[in-house]
Amino acid sequence: MNELNTISKISDWEKRAEQYLIEENYSAAAKLYEEAIEQEEDIKSYYWHLGLLLLLQGQETEAQFTWFSALSEEVDIDTKDLLEVLEIEAKRRVTIEDYHVAWAIRQHIKEIFPEDINNLLHLIQLVIQLETFKDDYAYLLESAINYLSPKTDNCDINLLIDSIKKLLVYITREAEAFDSVFNFVKICLQNYSDSDRIVIIEAIMIQCVRFSAFYKRPGLASKFSELCLELVTDIHQIEYREILTLLSHFYQNNHQFEQGIETAKLAYELSKTLAEKICANYVVIRGLMTSGSYWQEAHDRLQNHILLAQNLVETKPEDINIVNISRLFISLFFLPYFEDKPDRNHKLQHQISSFCQSQIIKFHGEIAEQQQQYLDSRKHNLSKNKKILNIGYISHCFKKHSVSWLCRWIFNYHDPEKFKIHCYFFNDSEQIENFTKNHFVSKSANFYQFGTSQHHQVWNQIRSDEIDILVDLDSLTLDQACDLLSVKSAPIQVTWLGWDSSGLPSIDYFIADPYVLPEAAQDYYSETIWRLPQTYIAVDGFEVDVPDLQREDLDIPSDAIVYFMTQKGYKRHQPHLYLQMKIIKEVPNSYLLVKGDADPETTRVFFEEIAAEAGVDFSRIKFLPYARSEAVHRANLQVADVVLDTYPYNGATTTLETLWMGIPLVTRVGEQFSARNSYGMMVNAGITEGIAWTEEEYVEWGVRLGKDEKLRQQISWKLRQSRHTAPLWNAKQFTRDMETAYEQMWQKYLDSK
């Protein structure tokens, strides 16, 4: 008696056959179907499954013979049923990540039904997954174009969008695929109606944001954004303006500053509501500032920007979409780069952040209510005997970034007996770089990576981890962080590093020290300022490579005095630059080296005009290219005698690097956080020489350090010695101070119960 006869019900033996398939016991499953065919030879599905099982055993000829032997005069119906069986198994194979078998099955589907556009799209995705078959992508894309009907009724639009997303990621690592993919995307957009085209465009633009932000390919993002812009019709004005806004960002990030500025201005002209104007004007200012050459125009734009922001907080309009709400968080980002007016600026930022937070909570009403209930429940059930605090760090900077160069040390020294560390990393790239793995993944109990639109997953994970203190490392450098922190997901939320405080009502504390924020600052901060005893940041040092820059490369005499300014374009404050020109003018045989992202052509014109007005020979100003790595950049700092700090936005990481390399620094101290960074760091490195409290003192220190070689040597010696004694270079003690702060914050929270 065969096995089929021992099973009482047909469904039972079919379940047994399915189990054999899952277990990859294909011969046993095939035997069951062979026995079934002997008993019921008219049931076509048995042949379809038997052929599949033969195919899985590598018997392709036998599989095809089995299928064709069962075809009747109703070929179309039979073929449809056969394809359904193959389709189900192909999808199952992808689910279990058996991509090679899925590819083989879909190749047979293609032979049977070559015009099946959906199967071709699945094959394209498998080719992307399987490097073995990467040469097939061009042929498959061409086939897909040929079978993509102008009506596209036969195509699953969701599958098409998913395929386009994967293809766009694919070309970031396979540059030669660009032309084929670009042409395919263009044909897809042309073949769809306006409504469906907009859906596809939205998916493409999301990928373009990822190109620019996470893959560092803004040029690629620009090309596809331009394509989308061409195919947006007049009836989609909102989408047109949105593409313009993003395209301006991509141009700016790709150093196409003129296009970036003009595109942003066009988006501003098309803006209708107050919120739209603020968001568009921010992008215009960003372009002007990043270029580093339009200070006065940017300054004038900013004054209008402040008026728009003040109007917004007065009127509190309700007709703002969630995208613009997110952008409004960071709309005042450039204020401290222009003016040292923390009293007004922080109050305005707090008003903007409060308004935006209320809108975020309203938009995510259900999750906000759940989170509040969760926090209330946690507070009600608190245990005062908690031995380990769960600390969460949330950031997009767990990579080679200024924030990471500074904060990595605390991960190295955290006490695992008292603190369990969790990291929440915003990054849409497919691979995590070794820097991230070495300094953060390996040093954390849990390290999570989230995409740009995974807010609910982040909130749920923070809640699942029972985070006690959530530390934001981004502040206003990332609107997504503001979104997430608006819905409070931990009992205590803290801002440290990143920028300055965000002004969010949901943030409890802002980490500072006695130098970077004076006592009076609490009057205009919405967060409680938590001052650490000595410094709000400390590092054990920096990696330094071999320099690749010499004075002779810049045509600078060996006996010249070299001043160095290393900052991005938007830190170039025109009135402050005139002070630096005064220093160069008063110190004979001196040169100024300028380094940082900006438009090289307009930068030269900008500095040439300033030099002419100041009476400085323009040949004494040199512009440096970017070094090939951070470690080489630090080594190249040794070409300088003195570093001239920027104002009203000082250096932070660059200041630390300068001090670590033992180079004298001149900084002007102001009132706001960003105007006191270098001052606090210098004091915590054990030096006061070079700290200026007025414009006059800034020039005096600059000139004195340029002319007094002995003083420069003394400062360099003190800085080298400070590596062994100064708070700035004692990351272990700093970590203990941070941990003490966390414990005290938690105790205050317990006491508030």
Side-chain angles (χ1 to χ4, degrees):
M1 183 177 293
N2 61 33
E3 184 177 354
L4 186 64
N5 291 332
T6 66
I7 303 174
S8 58
K9 297 180 180 179
I10 292 178
S11 60
D12 289 340
W13 75 260
E14 286 182 325
K15 289 178 181 177
R16 178 71 63 83
E18 184 178 357
Q19 187 60 37
Y20 283 148
L21 172 63
I22 293 171
E23 295 171 355
E24 299 187 7
N25 190 350
Y26 305 133
S27 60
K31 185 178 180 182
L32 284 176
Y33 277 105
E34 288 169 351
E35 293 172 357
I37 290 171
E38 288 179 7
Q39 294 189 19
E40 298 179 277
E41 62 180 15
D42 293 333
I43 298 181
K44 301 294 183 64
S45 65
Y46 296 168
Y47 295 89
W48 311 148
H49 284 91
L50 176 59
L52 171 61
L53 291 161
L54 292 170
L55 176 65
L56 294 174
Q57 295 177 78
Q59 298 173 270
E60 294 187 26
T61 303
E62 291 83 350
Q64 291 175 353
F65 177 80
T66 301
W67 291 330
F68 291 132
S69 67
L71 293 176
S72 64
E73 293 181 358
E74 298 178 331
V75 175
D76 291 344
I77 296 175
D78 290 344
T79 301
K80 182 180 178 182
D81 293 341
L82 169 59
L83 291 172
E84 185 177 348
V85 170
L86 297 177
E87 180 74 24
I88 290 171
E89 180 60 16
K91 288 181 177 178
R92 188 183 77 83
R93 292 289 169 169
V94 171
T95 302
I96 63 174
E97 299 184 0
D98 190 353
Y99 302 114
H100 280 87
V101 172
W103 180 86
I105 294 172
R106 290 206 172 276
Q107 285 287 44
H108 280 275
I109 295 175
K110 181 171 172 291
E111 289 182 17
I112 298 168
F113 188 20
E115 61 270 29
D116 184 349
I117 181 65
N118 295 320
N119 184 60
L120 289 170
L121 293 174
H122 280 298
L123 273 170
I124 288 168
Q125 292 193 25
L126 287 168
V127 164
I128 293 171
Q129 190 70 41
L130 296 168
E131 290 294 314
T132 311
F133 305 108
K134 69 178 184 179
D135 293 338
D136 292 348
Y137 77 89
Y139 165 72
L140 287 170
L141 286 174
E142 186 177 344
S143 298
I145 289 172
N146 292 335
Y147 291 119
L148 191 65
S149 164
K151 296 182 179 179
T152 62
D153 295 337
N154 59 333
C155 181
D156 180 344
I157 189 170
N158 292 322
L159 175 61
L160 177 65
I161 290 172
D162 189 49
S163 299
I164 290 173
K165 288 179 180 178
K166 287 182 169 61
L167 282 166
L168 293 178
V169 173
Y170 180 66
I171 59 176
T172 62
R173 61 177 188 268
E174 298 290 345
E176 68 275 8
F178 173 81
D179 290 339
S180 297
V181 172
F182 186 85
N183 186 48
F184 174 73
V185 172
K186 184 176 182 179
I187 296 298
C188 289
L189 288 172
Q190 290 173 341
N191 278 6
Y192 272 88
S193 62
D194 282 347
S195 58
D196 287 335
R197 183 184 300 154
I198 290 300
V199 175
I200 299 173
I201 285 175
E202 287 176 354
I204 293 171
M205 293 308 299
I206 289 173
Q207 291 300 95
C208 287
V209 171
R210 290 170 178 158
F211 281 160
S212 184
F214 301 109
Y215 290 91
K216 303 303 179 186
R217 300 289 298 276
L220 204 57
S222 300
K223 288 182 172 62
F224 282 96
S225 299
E226 290 166 349
L227 174 62
C228 291
L229 198 65
E230 290 175 11
L231 295 169
V232 173
T233 61
D234 294 338
I235 64 172
H236 296 106
Q237 293 182 7
I238 295 175
E239 287 78 9
Y240 186 83
R241 189 180 63 250
E242 176 64 15
I243 295 172
L244 282 174
T245 299
L246 294 173
L247 181 57
S248 176
H249 274 277
F250 304 150
Y251 282 146
Q252 293 174 30
N253 292 349
N254 200 42
H255 295 179
Q256 296 173 270
F257 297 106
E258 289 296 330
Q259 291 113 309
I261 293 168
E262 292 307 313
T263 305
K265 287 180 177 178
L266 178 57
Y268 178 79
E269 291 170 7
L270 295 174
S271 299
K272 296 180 179 179
T273 69
L274 183 58
E276 288 171 0
K277 288 183 179 297
I278 292 173
C279 293
N281 199 49
Y282 161 80
V283 185
V284 177
I285 295 171
R286 181 183 187 269
L288 295 170
M289 291 294 288
T290 307
S291 171
S293 313
Y294 300 92
W295 192 88
Q296 191 58 53
E297 183 181 353
H299 179 272
D300 295 341
R301 278 265 179 183
L302 190 74
Q303 304 315 306
N304 180 55
H305 200 66
I306 293 169
L307 295 176
L308 292 172
Q310 290 171 337
N311 190 4
L312 182 84
V313 298
E314 289 173 6
T315 58
K316 295 182 173 60
E318 294 291 328
D319 60 337
I320 309 177
N321 64 44
I322 195 64
V323 173
N324 281 334
I325 286 293
S326 296
R327 290 172 178 166
L328 284 171
F329 276 118
I330 62 173
S331 60
L332 301 180
F333 181 82
F334 290 106
L335 281 179
Y337 292 93
F338 283 94
E339 302 170 333
D340 185 18
K341 296 180 179 179
D343 188 354
R344 183 204 65 187
N345 293 346
H346 270 280
K347 288 178 180 177
L348 184 56
Q349 179 63 56
H350 175 59
Q351 290 173 322
I352 289 284
S353 293
S354 298
F355 170 71
C356 292
Q357 177 175 303
S358 68
Q359 298 300 307
I360 291 290
I361 290 174
K362 186 184 297 185
F363 184 82
H364 296 286
E366 184 176 349
I367 187 70
E369 185 176 350
Q370 290 173 358
Q371 293 294 86
Q372 189 57 54
Q373 290 173 354
Y374 159 72
L375 293 176
D376 290 343
S377 175
R378 277 199 67 181
K379 191 164 189 177
H380 180 73
N381 298 304
L382 277 176
S383 170
K384 293 191 176 183
N385 298 319
K386 189 177 180 69
K387 294 183 179 179
I388 296 181
L389 287 179
N390 283 310
I391 308 296
Y393 291 95
I394 188 166
S395 180
H396 75 296
C397 298
F398 295 125
K399 55 188 178 182
K400 287 186 177 180
H401 185 281
S402 290
V403 169
S404 290
W405 291 115
L406 307 189
C407 75
R408 56 180 170 153
W409 298 103
I410 198 171
F411 290 84
N412 194 51
Y413 291 119
H414 261 312
D415 183 353
E417 299 295 321
K418 295 182 178 180
F419 301 91
K420 186 176 181 180
I421 305 305
H422 310 257
C423 288
Y424 306 94
F425 182 32
F426 305 135
N427 192 289
D428 268 348
S429 60
E430 292 183 310
Q431 296 181 338
I432 296 179
E433 58 188 33
N434 288 331
F435 179 87
T436 302
K437 293 177 182 177
N438 295 337
H439 294 291
F440 301 104
V441 177
S442 65
K443 306 294 184 181
S444 306
N446 292 300
F447 187 95
Y448 309 98
Q449 182 174 345
F450 296 98
T452 52
S453 58
Q454 293 182 300
H455 287 36
H456 285 75
Q457 292 93 320
V458 179
W459 284 320
N460 289 338
Q461 191 60 61
I462 292 171
R463 178 174 171 175
S464 177
D465 292 334
E466 296 187 343
I467 296 301
D468 301 309
I469 301 176
L470 183 63
V471 184
D472 168 33
L473 300 178
D474 291 348
S475 187
L476 295 180
T477 60
L478 185 70
D479 52 7
Q480 185 181 6
C482 295
D483 286 359
L484 285 158
L485 290 157
S486 291
V487 176
K488 199 164 186 177
S489 51
I492 300 171
Q493 295 194 154
V494 179
T495 296
W496 175 50
L497 296 180
W499 191 74
D500 195 340
S501 77
S502 61
L504 281 170
S506 57
I507 300 296
D508 301 288
Y509 300 107
F510 180 65
I511 303 282
D513 61 40
Y515 307 101
V516 78
L517 283 180
E519 289 295 328
Q522 190 60 70
D523 294 340
Y524 48 80
Y525 270 78
S526 59
E527 307 90 339
T528 297
I529 299 173
W530 193 289
R531 292 179 180 83
L532 299 179
Q534 293 177 303
T535 176
Y536 83 94
I537 185 62
V539 299
D540 277 355
F542 294 96
E543 296 84 350
V544 180
D545 206 332
V546 177
D548 62 2
L549 183 68
Q550 303 294 331
R551 293 191 177 197
E552 61 185 31
D553 301 327
L554 302 169
D555 195 25
I556 295 177
S558 59
D559 61 345
I561 301 302
V562 175
Y563 292 94
F564 196 100
M565 182 186 73
T566 171
Q567 302 294 354
K568 292 187 176 182
Y570 46 76
K571 286 190 177 181
R572 297 175 187 171
H573 189 267
Q574 186 166 307
H576 189 68
L577 285 173
Y578 282 109
L579 301 183
Q580 296 175 340
M581 292 299 160
K582 281 187 177 181
I583 295 170
I584 302 300
K585 186 176 182 180
E586 290 191 35
V587 178
N589 194 29
S590 65
Y591 292 78
L592 176 64
L593 306 188
V594 180
K595 180 183 176 184
D597 283 335
D599 184 337
E601 295 182 8
T602 58
T603 290
R604 287 181 178 275
V605 174
F606 178 63
F607 272 88
E608 192 168 10
E609 291 175 352
I610 292 175
E613 289 183 33
V616 173
D617 185 349
F618 181 62
S619 66
R620 294 168 66 185
I621 302 174
K622 306 289 184 177
F623 301 93
L624 302 183
Y626 254 69
R628 65 178 185 272
S629 71
E630 293 88 348
V632 172
H633 152 71
R634 294 171 198 131
N636 287 343
L637 284 173
Q638 295 173 102
V639 77
D641 295 296
V642 182
V643 169
L644 298 177
D645 197 13
T646 51
Y647 175 88
Y649 205 110
N650 295 166
T653 305
T654 51
T655 294
L656 282 167
E657 291 171 328
T658 298
L659 299 176
W660 180 254
M661 297 305 297
I663 301 170
L665 176 76
V666 182
T667 188
R668 182 184 168 194
V669 187
E671 294 182 46
Q672 65 189 6
F673 179 87
S674 58
R676 300 173 68 89
N677 251 319
S678 296
Y679 156 60
M681 291 173 180
M682 291 171 74
V683 171
N684 277 298
I687 60 170
T688 57
E689 299 88 345
I691 297 174
W693 297 88
T694 64
E695 290 184 354
E696 292 74 19
E697 285 186 15
Y698 184 86
V699 174
E700 288 170 7
W701 271 117
V703 172
R704 182 180 173 188
L705 286 170
K707 292 182 175 180
D708 193 335
E709 181 180 3
K710 186 176 180 180
L711 178 59
R712 294 198 304 270
Q713 291 173 348
Q714 290 173 352
I715 293 171
S716 294
W717 181 86
K718 288 173 69 174
L719 285 172
R720 286 194 298 273
Q721 292 301 112
S722 76
R723 291 187 179 189
H724 309 290
T725 57
L728 195 65
W729 314 125
N730 191 342
K732 188 173 183 179
Q733 180 57 50
F734 167 73
T735 304
R736 299 289 86 82
D737 291 340
M738 282 285 278
E739 290 176 341
T740 299
Y742 291 156
E743 290 172 332
Q744 291 174 348
M745 290 175 190
W746 186 250
Q747 187 59 50
K748 287 188 69 173
Y749 179 75
L750 289 175
D751 294 342
S752 71
K753 180 177 175 182

